[in-house]
Amino acid sequence: MTFKKAKPIFAIVLSVALITSNVTALATTNTQKTSNITVTLNGMHLDFDVEPYVNSDNRTLVELRSISETLGATVSWNADSKTVTIQEDDTTLELVIDQKEYKLNGVSKTMDTSPIIVNGSTMVPIRFVSESLGQNVQWDAVKNVVLISNDDKNDYTIVTTGQKYSYDNEGNVIDPTEGEDYYGQDSNYSSAEFSFTDNGDNTVTDNNTNLTWQVIPSDEQMTWDEAVEYCENLELGGYDDWRMPTLKEAFSISDFETGWPYLDQTYFDFPAESMNDMPPMDGGPQGGLSGGPQGSSTDSSSSEMMMPPPPTAGTSTDTENTGESSDGISKSQGQFWTSNYYLVGTTHEGAASAFGVNHATGHIKSYPADAVGMGKYVRAVRGDEYGVNVFVDNSDGTISDQATGLMWMQDDSGLALDWDDALEYAENFEYAGFDDWRLPDVKELQSIVDYSGCYPAIDSVYFNTTELEANEFYYFWTNTSAYFSTNDPGYGYAWYVAFGYAVDDEGNDTHGAGAVRFSPKTEDSSYVGEGGDNILNSIRLVRNITE
């Protein structure tokens, strides 16, 4: 059973249980109408001995015996009055079997259906009980899911990318206003600012996600299994519950303000450089020679046709646009494992693979998990899992994510556009009564990637994805510009998310479905791609949910 601990008042609601062995099942007075109901608590699936169901009053009844011990409420049963009393701190809840009235701290309240006992288990009308205690309950009619959340849920706060400037197709800094060309970029919209606390013990806490991170990772390059074992055995800052971060957790600390490296070194250190970490003299962020526009091959002697090389380790170069500097972190130094592992896939000729975040180049890609000599680094984390979506189908062509507070278009654009046209399309779009749709930033779009191994890498129950001849692998634009290195400080690239295979020049899935990469913004750009890029990409619009 998988779930997160709720705050005490919610524990009261969810701890209704019969803890005596002499309770006999009573006849069901409100008959079952619909079964196959799923219940989630703060986005986490809950398992039950007696399946939830919708009764003839169209109310969902849920058996909660299986989670009462974990949630820690004190429960008592009065057989004479058939009353369950739940006590936690200063709050008392009384439910009477087969009666619509219940009491909260002595005050009578009424539901339009009643609790019953089925096979010795209390079945509770969850909406009325929860909402009477100030909780939030939603019903997803598409998937038959009851979505329960409370004020202390681990919200999926989308943390800022850090990008503060707007850029044209050639990477020049611009300042467009609403209605002008290039408006709708990452910097035109606000999001939760970075907020870290250095704990002074080689750990740092992210105040947005409530995750605590290891500041100085191990200098050892590891296979994926070795990285898992390292995290599980780590004792640091007085804690021994360290673990491998998920992909969405690791990406949450990525900082896109200046680029290479894509991490704030005020709070996070990189591993010490080894000989294996030295960057190539030429090539893209993955270390190989880069192709030209649309992924076409180029001769290695034509250096002007390739992406600029990474910054040289140990150097410091001021960038043209920000005045910030890079200390020359190498590509390999930035490669960090995450817990998202696939036993069988299409990447690396079907070898066992795991995703990683490259905090030097900013990318997300899949790496061979077990390959000797291709080890990556790991930065351990501790805390409740961050990055769990809570989707609700609004039945109007839009999908709300209660965890992030974002509303998405259920359908994609059905068009393949270059980047500036995608910005314009989004800014002028009206749908479902809203006119504030926009292109998502790179962290927002990555938040809806499904890394369970499905293809395309998105939940097809909620989202529809159009296969296009001009974009056969489901690449989707973001509104976030991309910077490559101090050797070429312009932001002439833009980030995209590959919901399908992320391929190289020859069509091989080198990065995996769910990879995050960048490409030139237009087909006639002076910038060139890293290989396998698609300049004309799809878009899926997003907006902030407002009351």
Side-chain angles (χ1 to χ4, degrees), residues 50-264:
V50 177
E51 293 298 318
Y53 67 89
V54 176
N55 67 10
S56 57
D57 294 326
N58 285 324
R59 300 304 173 199
T60 302
L61 300 188
V62 182
E63 176 270 321
L64 300 167
R65 175 177 54 83
S66 60
I67 61 174
S68 60
E69 291 183 1
T70 303
L71 292 174
T74 300
V75 183
S76 60
W77 165 251
N78 186 314
D80 294 333
S81 62
K82 300 176 184 176
T83 301
V84 179
T85 301
I86 305 96
Q87 182 74 44
E88 181 129 15
D89 295 332
D90 297 328
T91 305
T92 302
L93 179 68
E94 297 176 78
L95 301 171
V96 181
I97 303 302
D98 290 330
Q99 291 189 16
K100 295 180 179 180
E101 285 193 358
Y102 64 96
K103 290 184 178 181
L104 176 61
N105 289 335
V107 178
S108 295
K109 296 179 178 292
T110 303
M111 302 173 284
D112 60 3
T113 193
S114 58
I116 65 170
I117 297 176
V118 175
N119 296 328
S121 297
T122 301
M123 306 299 291
V124 179
I126 194 62
R127 175 179 291 277
F128 295 103
V129 177
S130 298
E131 289 186 346
S132 70
L133 296 175
Q135 309 307 306
N136 181 46
V137 181
Q138 297 288 333
W139 169 248
D140 184 343
V142 175
K143 290 186 104 175
N144 284 348
V145 178
V146 178
L147 303 129
I148 306 171
S149 60
N150 59 45
D151 292 339
D152 280 349
K153 68 180 180 179
N154 188 21
D155 288 330
Y156 187 176
T157 301
I158 304 295
V159 184
T160 182
T161 66
Q163 195 158 107
K164 294 179 171 60
Y165 298 95
S166 294
Y167 307 90
D168 64 15
N169 286 341
E170 290 300 304
N172 301 302
V173 176
I174 57 176
D175 186 22
T177 59
E178 189 170 358
E180 292 184 340
D181 291 344
Y182 296 110
Y183 187 82
Q185 297 186 47
D186 196 332
S187 63
N188 297 136
Y189 295 99
S190 61
S191 52
E193 295 296 322
F194 288 117
S195 176
F196 298 110
T197 298
D198 188 333
N199 300 315
D201 55 3
N202 194 26
T203 71
V204 62
T205 297
D206 186 334
N207 301 313
N208 285 305
T209 65
N210 296 319
L211 295 173
T212 299
W213 292 91
Q214 180 184 23
V215 172
I216 306 174
S218 170
D219 291 340
E220 180 183 356
Q221 292 176 310
M222 311 174 195
T223 66
W224 187 83
D225 285 334
E226 290 171 341
V228 172
E229 183 178 3
Y230 167 83
C231 293
E232 291 178 347
N233 292 328
L234 180 65
E235 295 185 13
L236 179 65
Y239 299 99
D240 61 3
D241 56 348
W242 297 92
R243 58 179 174 82
M244 180 98 83
T246 68
L247 191 51
K248 294 183 179 182
E249 290 172 336
F251 199 54
S252 70
I253 61 174
S254 293
D255 189 334
F256 292 77
E257 181 176 1
T258 59
W260 199 311
Y262 285 80
L263 196 64
D264 188 343

Side-chain angles (χ1 to χ4, degrees), residues 6-60:
K7 66 179 181 179
I9 194 169
F10 191 63
I12 297 170
V13 181
L14 295 182
S15 299
V16 181
L18 297 179
I19 57 175
T20 58
S21 59
N22 59 348
V23 177
T24 58
L26 301 180
T28 301
T29 58
N30 42 10
T31 57
Q32 178 173 315
K33 178 180 177 182
T34 305
S35 57
N36 298 320
I37 305 296
T38 300
V39 179
T40 63
L41 168 59
N42 296 335
M44 306 303 291
H45 180 268
L46 303 179
D47 295 324
F48 303 97
D49 293 333
V50 177
E51 293 298 318
Y53 67 89
V54 176
N55 67 10
S56 57
D57 294 326
N58 285 324
R59 300 304 173 199
T60 302

Side-chain angles (χ1 to χ4, degrees), residues 268-321:
F268 300 100
D269 288 351
F270 282 88
E273 187 174 62
S274 68
M275 291 301 294
N276 293 331
D277 289 327
M278 295 300 291
M281 290 305 297
D282 292 296
Q286 307 315 315
L289 295 178
S290 298
Q294 297 289 17
S296 60
S297 299
T298 59
D299 191 299
S300 61
S301 63
S302 303
S303 60
E304 71 278 7
M305 290 296 293
M306 294 183 295
M307 232 180 221
T312 303
T315 65
S316 179
T317 306
D318 288 338
T319 65
E320 176 183 314
N321 296 325

